[in-house]
């Protein structure tokens, strides 16, 4: 699954059973999340007080042990997911490319 944290589209690629936490870094603000889930994709927006005009830009993504993850976590040069991920394959290049 690919987790996108918006508004910049930072991507984090998750293996089956892998857990991560998305949280704001700022203190003292009420952050609400908008989550959209589709096949193999999850998009997360963080909003201050649930107001879509107040996007929270200071966030972190951590793994189950609390280690911060960087954008591109486990990307393996993949692009937007497609049917190849549903088969459980990890290609060495994105489909439709000459790489």
């Amino acid at each position: 699954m690919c987790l996108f944290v918006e508004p910049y589209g930072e991507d984090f690629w998750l293996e089956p059973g892998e857990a991560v936490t998305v949280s704001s870094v700022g203190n003292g603000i009420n952050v609400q999340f908008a989550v959209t889930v589709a096949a193999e994709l999850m998009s997360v927006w963080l909003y201050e007080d649930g107001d879509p005009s107040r996007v929270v830009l200071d966030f972190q993504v951590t793994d189950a042990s609390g280690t911060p993850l960087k954008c591109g976590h486990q990307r393996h040069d993949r692009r937007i997911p497609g049917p190849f991920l549903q088969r459980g394959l990890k290609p060495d290049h994105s489909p439709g490319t000459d790489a």
Side-chain angles (χ1 to χ4, degrees):
M1 172 175 283
C2 183
L3 166 66
F4 289 105
V5 181
E6 301 292 356
Y8 299 122
E10 293 191 31
D11 61 317
F12 302 85
W13 296 79
L14 310 178
E15 299 295 336
E18 185 175 7
V20 298
T21 300
V22 178
S23 58
S24 72
V25 176
N27 293 324
I29 59 172
N30 176 25
V31 177
Q32 295 181 9
F33 297 83
V35 178
T36 304
V37 179
E40 303 170 348
L41 297 171
M42 180 182 298
S43 176
V44 176
W45 288 81
L46 290 78
Y47 298 115
E48 186 173 344
D49 294 323
D51 182 346
S53 67
R54 298 175 72 185
V55 176
V56 175
L57 303 175
D58 199 11
F59 66 89
Q60 69 178 358
V61 177
T62 55
D63 67 12
S65 68
T67 303
L69 303 176
K70 293 181 181 179
C71 176
H73 172 71
Q74 299 184 145
R75 184 183 300 138
H76 305 292
D77 295 324
R78 293 182 276 195
R79 298 187 186 195
I80 300 299
F84 65 94
L85 288 179
Q86 293 175 354
R87 293 191 306 267
L89 302 175
K90 288 177 93 174
D92 56 3
H93 67 280
S94 295
T97 67
D98 294 329

